[in-house]
Each structure stands twice: as C-alpha cells, then as structure tokens.
Amino acid sequence: MNILVLNGSYRAEGGTAAMVEAFCAGARNAGHQVVTVNVARLNVRGCRGCEYCHGAGDGACVQRDDMDRVYPLWDAADMIVVASPVYYGSFSGQMHTVLNRTYAGLKPKHCTKMALLLCSGAHGVYEQAEGIYKHYLVEWFGAQDLGIFEATTPEATSPGMAKMLRDFGASL
C-alpha cells in the first residue's frame, strides 16, 4: 500500500514527529511504501478561491509552488495520514493551507483509508481538528477512518505511544 503522511509540525524533535516516526517504522516494516512530507517546511501559498482549477485548469491549481510536489503524492496514495500539532484547537496553519490547496484536485484519486495523529500541550483540545478530519476528509473522500491517535507531548514521545503507533502501522 502507498501511504502518504502529511506532517504539519515545525519541530523535528517534537511530539508530532515522534508519532510520525513510530507509525512510519511500523508501516515500512510491514512492507508498505511510506512517503512523509513535512508540510511545515514547504513554501505553499493559500488558496485564492479563483476557481481556475474547476474551469480552465481542469483540476490543476493556477499557482506554482511546493504544492506541485504534493499533488502527485496525494493522488497516488492509498492511505493518507494527517499528523499535526494542535494550535488553537485545530491543525497547524501550514497544514490548513496544504489541505485547503487540495481543493484544486478535490478527492485524492486512490485514497480509501485515512488516519489522524494529533499532539498537543493539553488534553481536551482536539474536537475541532477531529471534526475537520471526520467531515471534510474522511466523509468527503469516502475513506475508511482507521483511527485517531491523540497525545500530549510527553505521551507522544513515550515508549507506550511509540509501540501503539508501530503496531498500528504494522497492522495495515
């Protein structure tokens, strides 16, 4: 299975990164192809709402930036994992920007499965991010939700979470 992991964290050593690393290790050990894109490091401008993509662009965005590297991976993925720190109850700003820009092509061409990894400084702040994931991603794409994994930073970097996510990746 081709798995695309979108990592929305700027912190290379943070909780989100630890969760991504553990999941990817388990999935790769099970023989899956995994590509991780650190969207926080990309130069992606926000959607302009110009509708070029749904007219003359025939599904292609008028803007030329680092999304050009994401679109082919998005469309090739059988599974997409969204991984983000939680800022003000939702995804990181750059994750929102990347997800908004997928409006150009709308639904990924092959994705049938999705999962969500969230890391925050406190419990009880995940509801908005979960709602976006469940409604605008899983339901809209018609994908199977394989799980939502939430943790505070100390939990995200713990051996227990690493094992849980490695086992999840290996179980796919």
Side-chain angles (χ1 to χ4, degrees):
M1 175 168 34
N2 290 324
I3 302 171
L4 172 62
V5 180
L6 299 175
N7 178 358
S9 179
Y10 285 94
R11 296 180 182 167
E13 304 294 323
T16 304
M19 294 173 77
V20 166
E21 185 179 315
F23 166 79
C24 290
R28 284 186 181 113
N29 286 341
H32 300 292
Q33 285 194 275
V34 183
V35 174
T36 301
V37 176
N38 188 330
V39 302
R41 302 282 177 216
L42 298 179
N43 179 15
V44 177
R45 293 180 300 277
C47 176
R48 297 181 353 193
C50 67
E51 292 295 329
Y52 173 82
C53 57
H54 297 140
D58 195 31
C61 183
V62 70
Q63 299 185 81
R64 303 278 59 90
D65 58 20
D66 287 344
M67 275 303 290
D68 290 340
R69 296 176 11 211
V70 177
Y71 289 130
L73 300 170
W74 179 261
D75 281 336
D78 301 308
M79 178 179 182
I80 296 173
V81 177
V82 175
S84 182
V86 176
Y87 298 149
Y88 292 96
S90 193
F91 304 126
S92 66
Q94 195 67 358
M95 181 64 77
H96 276 288
T97 299
V98 166
L99 292 174
N100 286 344
R101 284 285 299 282
T102 65
Y103 175 71
L106 295 177
K107 300 176 184 182
K109 292 182 178 27
H110 302 288
C111 179
T112 59
K113 298 172 172 62
M114 296 194 81
L116 179 64
L117 311 178
L118 295 173
C119 182
S120 178
H123 289 287
V125 297
Y126 307 108
E127 187 175 340
Q128 184 178 353
E130 288 175 2
I132 293 167
Y133 167 75
K134 289 176 185 175
H135 179 71
Y136 291 104
L137 298 175
V138 172
E139 284 182 32
W140 176 249
F141 297 159
Q144 179 185 6
D145 176 11
L146 295 185
I148 298 174
F149 299 85
E150 301 166 339
T152 62
T153 302
E155 294 166 345
T157 57
S158 73
M161 180 59 73
K163 180 180 180 345
M164 182 189 312
L165 288 169
R166 276 194 312 272
D167 290 350
F168 171 58
S171 73
L172 300 172

